Amino acid sequence: MENRVPLPTDNIYKFYALFGLLLIIFSIGAMLYVNQSTNDLAFEVAVEYETLKAEPMRSVADGARFTVLEKKLEIAGQNKKTFMFCLGVIITTGSFMVWYGFRKWHTEVQPVQDEIARLNLVKLRREVGDDA
């Protein structure tokens, strides 16, 4: 099976930069998903929760349902904060990898490759000039 997306296997710094970029993109998508799923849960239970909250005299079953809904909302909020913190750490790590990888690639590796290409061009021009 042929690989259609060429991966930068020639340079570790390119890999760092592109892997960091991948981490950032997927983390942003995960943040959007976590936010949306938490909002969906909150909207799903909001009407029943507020209805039960407004009742001064609740039956035992309604009291239990109110307590469960309250805990569900509380846990969803805590989970959202935890997930967002973890994804923030991943985005920070990815950003550092992008910065480090592109900086090292641009300042250390690419100038050497440019010099090699320039010297090869000079060499080829000399060879063609001698043969002509």
Side-chain angles (χ1 to χ4, degrees):
M1 191 158 134
E2 190 175 321
N3 186 6
R4 295 179 187 194
V5 178
L7 296 175
T9 56
D10 62 329
N11 186 329
I12 191 69
Y13 299 122
K14 281 185 201 179
F15 176 76
Y16 288 162
L18 294 178
F19 185 70
L21 190 61
L22 188 72
L23 284 176
I24 292 169
I25 290 169
F26 280 110
S27 294
I28 289 172
M31 282 183 153
L32 293 172
Y33 175 76
V34 166
N35 191 43
Q36 184 63 39
S37 63
T38 304
N39 288 346
D40 287 346
L41 175 68
F43 293 142
E44 180 183 305
V45 300
V47 174
E48 186 178 3
Y49 176 77
E50 290 299 326
T51 303
L52 291 172
K53 186 177 177 182
E55 285 184 24
M57 297 294 292
R58 294 182 213 124
S59 67
V60 175
D62 287 343
R65 189 169 31 251
F66 176 76
T67 304
V68 168
L69 291 175
E70 191 173 44
K71 272 295 191 195
K72 197 176 202 181
L73 288 172
E74 181 183 325
I75 290 170
Q78 290 172 350
N79 285 347
K80 180 180 176 181
K81 286 180 186 176
T82 303
F83 291 147
M84 290 298 190
F85 175 78
C86 291
L87 290 170
V89 169
I90 293 172
I91 286 175
T92 303
T93 303
S95 298
F96 176 75
M97 288 177 74
V98 167
W99 172 79
Y100 178 76
F102 279 127
R103 188 179 132 269
K104 292 292 249 181
W105 177 25
H106 183 70
T107 59
E108 292 181 12
V109 176
Q110 195 61 43
V112 172
Q113 290 177 346
D114 291 343
E115 182 68 13
I116 290 170
R118 189 185 68 73
L119 291 173
N120 279 335
L121 180 62
V122 168
K123 178 183 171 188
L124 288 173
R125 283 186 179 156
R126 285 185 182 159
E127 288 175 1
V128 169
D130 291 340
D131 291 342

